[in-house]
Amino acid sequence: MSKRPTEDTASNGLPRPGERDEPTFEHDEAGQFEDEFEDEFESEDEIMVAGEDGRPDEEVEAEEAENAMQVDSNNQTFMVGRNKLSKGEVLEPDETAYEMLHRLEPPWPCLSFDIIRDHLGEGRARKRYPATVYSVAGTQAARGHEKENELLVMKMSKLSRNTRDEEEDSESDDEDSDEDEDADPILETKKIRPDTATNRIRAYQTQSDPSTPFATTLTATLSESGTVLIHDVTPHLTSFDTPGTTITPQQNQPIHTIRAHKSNEGYAVDWQKPASSSSNTTQTPSLLTGDTAGNIYHTTSTPSGSFTTSSAFTGHTSSVEELQWSPSEPFVFASASADNTIRIWDTRSKRRTPAISITASNSDINVLSWSHLTSYLLASGDDAGRLSIWDLRAWQRNPKITTHTPIADFNFHKEQITSVEWHPTDDSIVSVCAGDDTCTLWDLAVELDDEESKDTAGVEGVPPQLLFVHYMEGVKEAHWHGQMDGMLMATGASGWNVFRTISV
């Protein structure tokens, strides 16, 4: 990131590696530089030091230092989330650090969203541009405008790659681009009016049917009023690519409303992902929801399509902030709470109490993410800005112990962590959103004793595992796109960002 005064449109960033045209020389056998143009005279009294534009390297380096990334009053590199902008200054992204970066603005802030799996393929097929992303989100309108809140079903298309130099474009245009990348991105929406603000929204999809554009897609919306609304948004998604489709008023109505939380609003929700094996294709939707009173409810669907909600799981003494199903054990889930604990539960337990309870922080634990590639790894983020990585095998060996040490612990962020998520295909990469207006990417595979990785260009307080810092005002939540490697979507007070960095 770089910062500049608002009125200054020039870029003063550091030159990137390979950007300077350093002169090259060939040596003759006597160790002197060959004179390619066979000048008729040489000076024996003055040796010119070759450099950029014929100037000495020392002069060039001094100029670069003066025009480098702007620094604060302490002559330190400007760090997003640490340093404050001066009056009239704004942050601008270095777009060369992004393969793709787009910003879109909704009518009201959407503080939670989810990405929808689509029918457009994955892997190499999704490396082509322009890209398309389907998603769902819920708004939080200003007080007095509650009736304007919406549940948005979205299609973002024409998401083009950032402009690159001509040489790079010529090498990869054939395989990476289908059409003109200069077209503006397109945002299409289908709207549902829930008449209440959305605290958190998550989507569930059944096993894909190759004969249909989208699998059956349900959304669970935790509202300010304490109700949980379940909608079937399959018709809305299908309508984007089926001209003339009309969404009926009945299709905009929830197919089920969970009222077990009464007036206690909630922020914790998670659908159990359908099993990938063919023997589990009949698996029915299974939903966890938690509230500010510390209660957790389990709602399941019957083959007939109706829903039933169990009695509450109890044990937390404060608000349940996050819920995560185990990726490998169908009856096990984890919860995080403002009571500073992480708890592991088994839905088969008749006592409805946790099997394991760990005091994992000195402050509220806001978010969890359970790795789907390495099922014993759990990531958590707390109110103090601490990111912790836990090895659940240690918890299983000693289920009665209530304190454990994380296998990795980072306090880079100085504000509350609001989102954490493992990369879907790389179990060493984690994304984190925090109250310091940043979305950071971490590579946990970096070894602390790796001398090369310790080089942080003289910037203090930066862990070598920190891979990338993306600035986004008021960012609250980020998710990886499971079909497009390295692509992230984030939401916050400033709207949506859809981006892919050169780092992941």
Side-chain angles (χ1 to χ4, degrees), residues 157-295:
S157 57
K158 302 293 183 183
L159 299 172
S160 62
R161 176 181 52 196
N162 283 3
T163 303
R164 302 176 299 178
D165 59 56
E166 294 181 2
E167 180 179 353
E168 186 179 354
D169 280 339
S170 63
E171 292 177 353
S172 57
D173 274 346
D174 292 340
E175 62 183 47
D176 287 348
S177 180
D178 282 332
E179 52 188 272
D180 182 14
E181 295 180 9
D182 294 329
D184 291 331
I186 298 173
L187 173 62
E188 302 171 73
T189 62
K190 303 295 180 182
K191 301 176 181 179
I192 298 172
R193 287 289 178 88
D195 294 334
T196 183
T198 296
N199 289 343
R200 191 76 64 86
I201 184 171
R202 291 293 181 264
Y204 170 89
Q205 291 180 285
T206 60
Q207 289 287 345
S208 298
D209 182 350
S211 65
T212 59
F214 286 94
T216 299
T217 305
L218 307 180
T219 61
T221 305
L222 273 71
S223 68
E224 279 187 332
S225 63
T227 58
V228 181
L229 306 176
I230 298 178
H231 288 86
D232 183 348
V233 297
T234 312
H236 305 73
L237 292 165
T238 304
S239 68
F240 288 126
D241 304 306
T242 310
T245 301
T246 300
I247 304 299
T248 67
Q250 183 61 33
Q251 290 173 321
N252 281 333
Q253 295 300 312
I255 62 173
H256 184 71
T257 300
I258 301 172
R259 305 185 188 277
H261 298 282
K262 300 180 180 178
S263 60
N264 299 310
E265 66 177 325
Y267 298 90
V269 57
D270 194 35
W271 290 99
Q272 188 171 43
K273 302 298 185 291
S276 58
S277 63
S278 59
S279 61
N280 287 284
T281 55
T282 59
Q283 180 177 336
T284 57
S286 185
L287 177 70
L288 293 169
T289 53
D291 59 36
T292 54
N295 297 316

Side-chain angles (χ1 to χ4, degrees), residues 12 61-69:
N12 294 323
E61 290 169 358
E63 182 177 317
E64 288 173 352
E66 182 178 350
N67 296 329
M69 184 192 304

Side-chain angles (χ1 to χ4, degrees), residues 298-315:
H298 181 205
T299 301
T300 56
S301 173
T302 65
S304 64
S306 61
F307 291 84
T308 59
T309 300
S310 69
S311 58
F313 291 87
T314 59

Side-chain angles (χ1 to χ4, degrees), residues 380-447:
S380 67
D382 69 17
D383 230 27
R386 185 174 296 275
L387 167 67
S388 301
I389 309 298
W390 306 90
D391 186 336
L392 298 183
R393 294 174 298 182
W395 298 13
Q396 292 173 322
R397 286 192 295 266
N398 302 286
K400 294 184 179 181
I401 295 179
T402 59
T403 57
H404 284 275
T405 301
I407 58 174
D409 209 20
F410 306 98
N411 61 352
F412 172 78
H413 292 286
K414 303 305 179 186
E415 301 289 341
Q416 72 276 12
I417 291 179
T418 57
S419 174
V420 59
E421 186 168 288
W422 292 95
H423 190 285
T425 60
D426 188 335
D427 61 0
S428 67
I429 304 295
V430 176
S431 68
V432 176
C433 297
D436 54 14
D437 296 331
T438 65
C439 176
T440 54
L441 307 184
W442 298 78
D443 184 356
L444 305 180
V446 174
E447 298 290 342

Side-chain angles (χ1 to χ4, degrees), residues 331-346:
F331 302 103
V332 176
F333 68 91
S335 63
S337 171
D339 63 12
N340 306 350
T341 67
I342 297 173
R343 304 185 189 223
I344 307 297
W345 311 72
D346 190 321

Side-chain angles (χ1 to χ4, degrees), residues 5-18:
T6 307
E7 66 275 6
D8 180 10
T9 59
S11 174
N12 294 323
L14 283 168
R16 299 183 300 280

